[in-house]
Amino acid sequence: MPLWQAQDMQASSSAAGATAQVRFSFVLAAALVVGLYLAFLAAHLVLLYQMHGQTEVLRGEHQLPQKDFGLFWCAGNGLISQLAQSFHFHFSQSFRQVCQNDILSPQSPIDQAWPYPPTMGFLVAPFALLPLGEAFWVWRLFSVCVAALLLRRAGLSWQIISLGLASPAALHDFTNGQNGTLTGAWLLAALLLAGHGNRLAGFCAGLLSLKPHLGVGVSVAALRLRAWRMIGWAVAVAFFLAVAATYLWGLHGWVWFFGIAQHDEWLWASRPIKQVFPGAAITVYDMVRSFGLADRSALVVQGLASILAICLIWHCWAPGRLKLMPRVIITVCLNVWIVPHGFMYDLVAFSVAMGRWLSFVKVGSVSRPACCG
């Protein structure tokens, strides 16, 4: 056999061996990820099962088995009770047998105090009309269905939607009864439809005023695009919610939000890591504090990260610079950098975006999206 043929065969054999090694490593990593996911899923199914039969009483440091949704339910009942006093109609106070700790009171423990603006009352009050157990499941079904339909309306495939809504972040949100699935869908829909000046994009952006820090990236993108129709709808929705909440609950709710709630949130976030570890926290602020930085130094790092993220989002949304999907994926990722307060349930939008990014990846080779050149 000629020498050159032997060298070609040796090179081909080496290349085939390298490809097989890459494929084996990929399969091994995939099996590990799937195994960890199934363990995570099983743990959360156990938590959901354990909700039944536990004592449904909120007092002091004792949380309800429905986790964060228990706070939503108690806040919703408290807000309806305030309406009953203001507008003189009867509302049963039986909820106080469960909500023995008034989370709308300044005396509430800081980990159970109500941290949202008065406009959040429009989201939590309707579910408070149901018994706690049933309300939890209706809230979960409502959140998942609305999120799925909204993301589909925004142009994502059912495969990508399923990946995102079955992600660890979505499972964490589901078990805790949080609002990450719903707010994540609002965030993604607003970004995906922003370039079209769509009314739905503005409506979703306006709804993010219920959790204002999540809307920073959307606001930057809309301003960069000069999507004035979208901005107009967002401002109109936010303004309507604010005026309606003020009419129903008065200025007291805003005084609470800006005066008491924000102070309590800061006290909660700045507690020493050794005292209370911020489980499931995702922010730059909590990350650098875990490395030993003092609170003020951590805030400086967080501020720099926020400024950098906003500048990068502004750069990405320059007209004609990138295609829509890379812009959305980058913005959702950078949105995590912006705020000093956030947890795993706020990563549902990020999970959907990562599912969409995976559509660029092929086994054995990587197809780079437009954002990478």
Side-chain angles (χ1 to χ4, degrees):
M1 178 185 296
L3 180 61
W4 63 270
Q5 286 186 344
Q7 290 175 338
D8 285 347
M9 290 179 63
Q10 184 178 4
S12 299
S13 177
S14 299
T19 301
Q21 187 176 8
V22 169
R23 291 181 181 274
F24 175 77
S25 299
F26 182 87
V27 171
L28 185 63
L32 180 61
V33 169
V34 170
L36 291 173
Y37 175 80
L38 291 176
F40 189 84
L41 174 62
H44 281 267
L45 290 175
V46 170
L47 287 174
L48 289 172
Y49 176 78
Q50 290 176 343
M51 285 182 184
H52 301 285
Q54 291 193 28
T55 303
E56 291 187 343
V57 176
L58 177 69
R59 61 176 184 271
E61 296 297 322
H62 182 268
Q63 293 279 6
L64 287 165
Q66 288 79 9
K67 308 298 182 181
D68 291 350
F69 179 75
L71 300 181
F72 295 168
W73 189 82
C74 288
N77 275 284
L79 291 170
I80 297 175
S81 182
Q82 291 179 10
L83 288 180
Q85 294 177 7
S86 300
F87 294 93
H88 310 292
F89 64 87
H90 174 72
F91 181 70
S92 173
Q93 300 297 304
S94 59
F95 74 93
R96 298 196 185 279
Q97 297 176 7
V98 175
C99 309
Q100 295 183 11
N101 175 42
D102 184 3
I103 68 173
L104 299 177
S105 166
Q107 284 73 43
S108 176
I110 59 174
D111 62 332
Q112 294 180 13
W114 184 241
Y116 294 100
T119 49
M120 183 61 86
F122 294 117
L123 186 60
V124 300
F127 298 94
L129 297 173
L130 298 172
L132 177 57
E134 290 83 347
F136 175 85
W137 291 106
V138 173
W139 164 243
R140 295 294 71 198
L141 181 64
F142 171 81
S143 298
V144 172
C145 290
V146 170
L149 293 174
L150 195 56
L151 293 174
R152 182 60 179 161
R153 174 66 179 81
L156 293 178
S157 68
W158 285 116
Q159 180 183 10
I160 300 302
I161 295 170
S162 300
L163 282 173
L165 297 185
S167 65
L171 291 176
H172 181 75
D173 175 75
F174 191 99
T175 306
N176 282 272
Q178 258 290 347
N179 50 43
T181 297
L182 204 55
T183 55
W186 294 343
L187 172 63
L188 274 169
L191 289 170
L192 287 166
L193 299 172
H196 306 291
N198 196 300
R199 286 180 295 179
L200 181 58
F203 185 77
C204 291
L207 289 177
L208 285 174
S209 63
L210 274 62
K211 207 166 181 179
H213 58 280
L214 295 181
V216 176
V218 175
S219 302
V220 174
L223 288 170
R224 186 61 162 135
L225 286 177
R226 298 182 179 180
W228 304 122
R229 186 183 183 189
M230 172 186 171
I231 293 171
W233 273 95
V235 172
V237 170
F239 181 76
F240 172 79
L241 291 173
V243 170
T246 304
Y247 171 74
L248 293 175
W249 291 292
L251 292 174
H252 168 75
W254 296 105
V255 173
W256 166 273
F257 176 65
F258 289 108
I260 298 175
Q262 299 307 304
H263 178 68
D264 285 349
E265 285 291 290
W266 166 247
L267 290 177
W268 172 258
S270 60
R271 288 192 299 177
I273 292 287
K274 293 180 180 179
Q275 178 185 346
V276 178
F277 187 78
I282 60 169
T283 64
V284 173
Y285 172 75
D286 285 313
M287 180 186 71
V288 296
R289 285 183 70 231
S290 70
F291 295 152
L293 258 66
D295 293 342
R296 294 190 181 278
S297 299
L299 277 176
V300 170
V301 176
Q302 174 65 70
L304 293 174
S306 301
I307 294 170
L308 177 61
I310 290 171
C311 292
L312 289 174
I313 292 173
W314 182 267
H315 176 77
C316 287
W317 285 86
R321 187 178 301 278
L322 294 174
K323 294 181 179 179
L324 174 63
M325 194 55 65
R327 283 176 169 176
V328 172
I329 293 172
I330 291 170
T331 303
V332 170
C333 293
L334 291 174
N335 214 48
V336 179
W337 289 16
I338 292 176
V339 294
H341 182 77
F343 296 91
M344 186 175 177
Y345 50 74
D346 290 318
L347 289 179
V348 177
F350 174 86
S351 300
V352 176
M354 289 300 97
R356 181 63 181 87
W357 177 78
L358 281 175
S359 64
F360 293 113
V361 179
K362 300 177 182 178
V363 178
S365 63
V366 177
S367 176
R368 295 188 300 173
C371 61
C372 302

